[in-house]
Amino acid sequence: MQFKRYGKAYQLRIETPEDLDEILNLDEALWAATSAPLSAFRCDRKFLEMMDRDGNGRITSDEMRAALRWVRTRLAERHWLTVPFEALPLSALDTATPPGRALKSSAEYVLRTLGQADASVLSLEEIRRCLANLDKQPFNGDGVIVAKSASDPNVATLIADAVVVTGGTVDAGGEPGITLAQLDAFVAVSNAWLDWNEQGAGALAADRESAVMPFGAETPALYAAFLAQREKVDDYFELCRMRRYDPNLTPSDRRGPQAGEGGRVGVAELRHWLATEPLARLSPDDMLPLCGPETNPFHAEGLAALRQIVLSRCLDKIGETLSEDDWRRVKRLLKPYADYVATKPAGDAERVPQERLLRYRLEGALIDKVRGLIAQDAAVAGLRKGMDDLERLLLFATHLVRLANNFTSFSELYDPKKRALFERGSAVIDGRWFNLALKVDDANAHQAVAKSANIFTVYLEVERLTGDGKFTVALPATHGTKGNLRVGKRGVFFDVAGVEYDARIVNIIENPISLREALASPLLRLRDFVIGKIESISGANEKEMEKSADAMFK
C-alpha cells in the first residue's frame, strides 16, 4: 500500500489493479471521501446507478468495496481495469469461478446474436445493442408482461385492465404492463369488489328493500343527497348545543364578507362568505329552517334537495323545519347503507366494466394464461441477467479506477492536465477565471457547511443560452481579492466539454481570500459597524426633524 502527497494530505495511490485491491483494507479515516451523491460525478449514468446498490442516490465506501469484490470474482486479467480499451477480450474473464463462466457463456450468446460467433472480444456498445433488441421483444426477462405479448385478445384486455386497476409497471421496452405480484393484486381487488358489489346488487335488481338497501333501488341516490348535506346539518345542530351552553357562542359575531377592490363588497366576496356560514340563522327553538328568509341563500338549493329526496322518504311528516331528533332518525335509517359503503374495498376495480371482471372470475383460464406468459418471460430472465452483468463488468472495467481516484483519493483534482469527475467546468466573472466548479443540488445545505470552511465561495445559477438546463455550481475563490463580486453579477460558464452557459451570482459566502484581506477583515467589520451606527442615528434624527416640521405646519 503506497501513499502519495496530494495537496496537503497523503492519499492512497491508485495506478495498478494491486493498488485498487488495497481499497478493500483501507481504513475509512484515510479515504478522501466516504460518501458522495451520484449527481456529483460526470460519468456514465448507468455505471453510477450500478454502483449505488441500495438506490439511495449516493455512493458509499461499502458500495465501492462491493464493486471491487464483484469484479475480482469475474475478471482474471485485471490489468484491463487500469488501461483504456474499446473491447474486452473474453480471455480476460475468470472461467475458474462460476460467475466468470456464466459471464463468458452470456458473452458468447451476445456475439452469436449479433452474428459475430467467431469474435473473441466484446464491447459495451455491442452489449447495449443486444439489450436494446431484447427490450423490444414481448418476452425480455424484466418480469413485466405487456398486452402485446398475448396472442389472445381477451388475455390482452385482461392485462390492460390489470394495469388500470394496479397502476402497472413500465417494462424495459417502455410500455405499461404488470408483474406477477400485480396480477395477484388485481385478482384479489377484483374479487373483493365483486363480492362487495353483489351485496347491494340483489336489492337493486329486485327493486326491494333489504338490510343493506333500506329504501331499495332508491337508496344510493337518497344516500348521496343525504351525504351532501350531512356535515353542514350536523354543524348547525352543534352550534345550537353550544348556544344552549353559552348564548354568546353564536356565529352572529363572526366577521362579515371582506371588501374587494375599491372597498366594496362584490358578489364573489358575498358568495365566498356565505359558503362558510351555517345553513341558516340559529332559531330560538333549535330547529333547522328548511326554507324561508332564515336560510342561507348559498345553501338553499341543497336544503331543498335534502327535503325533497331524503326527508320525504325517511320521515312520516315534514314541515318547514327539522328537529335534531328527526335528523338522528334519518341517520339511523341510513346507517346500514353507510356502513356498507364504508366497507367498499380499496382500489380501482370499478374502473373496469363489471361484466369483464365477472368473466375473469368465471373463466379462470384467462388468469392462468397470463401466469403462463409471466413464466415465459421469467425463462428469459437468466439471459437478461447475464447481459446486465456483462454491461456491469464493462462499465466497471471502464470507470472503476477513475472513480476510485475521484473518491478514495483526489489525485485528478491536483493534476493540472486532468479534470476531476466531480468538476463541472470553469467560469469567467469580474474579469477573471474560476477553474474549479462543483455542482450543488441543495444550495441551502451546501451553504450551511461552506460558512464554516473559511473559503470565499460564489454560487452561480447556470443556464443554457437556449433557456433550458438550469443548475447551480459553487466556485471557491482561492487567490486575488473580492473585487466586484456581488449577488446579481453576470458572467459566462463553460462546462468541461466547452459548452457555453449564461451565469449569474445568486449567493456569496464571504471569507478572506488573501492574507491581506484576512488582516483587513477586522478593520472592515469595525468600519461597517460604525457606518451602520451613524446611519441609524442619522435616520432617527431625520425622523425627529420630520415630526417637528409636520407639527409646525399643522
Side-chain angles (χ1 to χ4, degrees), residues 257-272:
Q258 298 298 307
E261 294 183 8
R264 293 180 299 178
V265 178
V267 174
E269 288 79 12
L270 279 170
R271 288 183 61 81
H272 178 75

Side-chain angles (χ1 to χ4, degrees), residues 74-190:
R74 290 162 174 80
L75 203 58
E77 298 181 20
R78 288 189 289 120
H79 71 276
W80 291 98
L81 292 170
T82 54
V83 297
F85 66 90
E86 294 183 357
L88 183 72
L90 270 59
S91 60
L93 298 174
D94 188 358
T95 55
T97 66
R101 288 194 295 271
L103 274 177
K104 186 171 183 180
S105 177
S106 297
E108 291 170 345
Y109 170 83
V110 169
L111 291 172
R112 286 197 305 271
T113 302
L114 297 175
Q116 303 175 32
D118 297 331
S120 59
V121 296
L122 186 65
S123 69
L124 180 62
E125 187 276 331
E126 288 171 331
I127 294 171
R128 287 183 166 172
R129 186 163 19 119
C130 196
L131 275 170
N133 291 335
L134 182 62
D135 290 343
K136 297 174 184 176
Q137 303 304 313
F139 303 107
N140 50 35
D142 64 353
V144 181
I145 287 297
V146 298
K148 73 176 184 180
S149 64
S151 57
D152 185 337
N154 292 326
V155 175
T157 301
L158 191 156
I159 294 172
D161 287 341
V163 169
V164 170
V165 173
T166 66
T169 300
V170 177
D171 87 325
E175 295 188 35
I178 57 169
T179 63
L180 179 59
Q182 287 171 332
L183 175 64
D184 292 338
F186 170 70
V187 172
V189 169
S190 298

Side-chain angles (χ1 to χ4, degrees), residues 125-434:
E125 187 276 331
E126 288 171 331
I127 294 171
R128 287 183 166 172
R129 186 163 19 119
C130 196
L131 275 170
N133 291 335
L134 182 62
D135 290 343
K136 297 174 184 176
Q137 303 304 313
F139 303 107
N140 50 35
D142 64 353
V144 181
I145 287 297
V146 298
K148 73 176 184 180
S149 64
S151 57
D152 185 337
N154 292 326
V155 175
T157 301
L158 191 156
I159 294 172
D161 287 341
V163 169
V164 170
V165 173
T166 66
T169 300
V170 177
D171 87 325
E175 295 188 35
I178 57 169
T179 63
L180 179 59
Q182 287 171 332
L183 175 64
D184 292 338
F186 170 70
V187 172
V189 169
S190 298
N191 287 337
W193 189 85
L194 286 171
D195 292 341
W196 175 85
N197 193 54
E198 285 173 0
Q199 294 181 48
L204 289 174
D207 192 17
R208 58 180 174 78
E209 298 180 359
S210 67
V212 171
M213 300 281 186
F215 297 95
E218 298 179 50
T219 306
L222 194 148
Y223 181 73
F226 159 79
L227 200 61
Q229 302 299 322
R230 180 179 62 181
E231 185 177 350
K232 292 185 279 290
V233 176
D234 286 342
D235 287 346
Y236 178 86
F237 287 120
E238 185 175 0
L239 286 171
C240 290
R241 290 193 298 274
M242 290 179 180
R243 187 186 58 180
R244 289 198 297 269
Y245 173 75
D246 184 350
N248 293 320
L249 296 176
T250 67
S252 59
D253 295 330
R254 296 170 63 178
R255 296 180 61 187
Q258 298 298 307
E261 294 183 8
R264 293 180 299 178
V265 178
V267 174
E269 288 79 12
L270 279 170
R271 288 183 61 81
H272 178 75
W273 174 69
L274 287 172
T276 64
E277 288 293 290
L279 289 172
R281 292 195 182 99
L282 300 187
S283 64
D285 56 1
D286 294 343
M287 302 285 278
L288 171 63
L290 298 174
C291 57
E294 297 299 313
T295 59
N296 185 333
F298 185 86
H299 299 296
E301 187 176 334
L303 279 173
L306 178 71
R307 183 183 186 187
Q308 180 180 354
I309 301 173
V310 180
L311 302 183
S312 63
R313 290 287 280 116
C314 296
L315 301 177
D316 298 331
K317 181 176 64 174
I318 57 171
E320 296 183 351
T321 59
L322 175 69
S323 69
E324 188 170 11
D325 287 340
D326 283 341
W327 180 242
R328 290 195 187 101
R329 182 166 181 250
V330 170
K331 292 200 287 187
R332 282 197 303 271
L333 288 171
L334 291 173
K335 188 177 186 304
Y337 185 76
D339 292 342
Y340 165 69
V341 171
T343 62
K344 180 180 179 180
D348 292 327
E350 60 186 313
R351 293 176 60 188
V352 178
Q354 184 176 348
E355 60 272 15
R356 290 216 295 262
L357 295 180
L358 285 169
R359 184 175 64 194
Y360 301 151
R361 180 154 74 175
L362 295 173
E363 300 177 24
L366 291 176
I367 300 293
D368 291 339
K369 287 181 179 179
V370 178
R371 294 189 190 280
L373 295 176
I374 294 175
Q376 285 183 254
D377 188 78
V380 188
L383 177 63
R384 183 178 193 87
K385 183 180 184 305
M387 285 193 279
D388 286 340
D389 283 347
L390 281 173
E391 183 182 26
R392 183 187 301 271
L393 181 66
L394 268 291
L395 286 170
F396 282 7
T398 304
H399 301 290
L400 195 55
V401 169
R402 191 175 181 202
L403 179 65
N405 275 313
N406 286 263
F407 195 91
T408 310
S409 67
F410 285 166
S411 58
E412 288 191 352
L413 180 64
Y414 296 98
D415 188 339
K417 299 178 182 179
K418 297 181 179 179
R419 299 301 294 263
L421 283 179
F422 47 80
E423 292 186 61
R424 290 291 165 162
S426 304
V428 179
I429 303 176
D430 193 32
R432 51 179 150 165
W433 281 92
F434 292 82

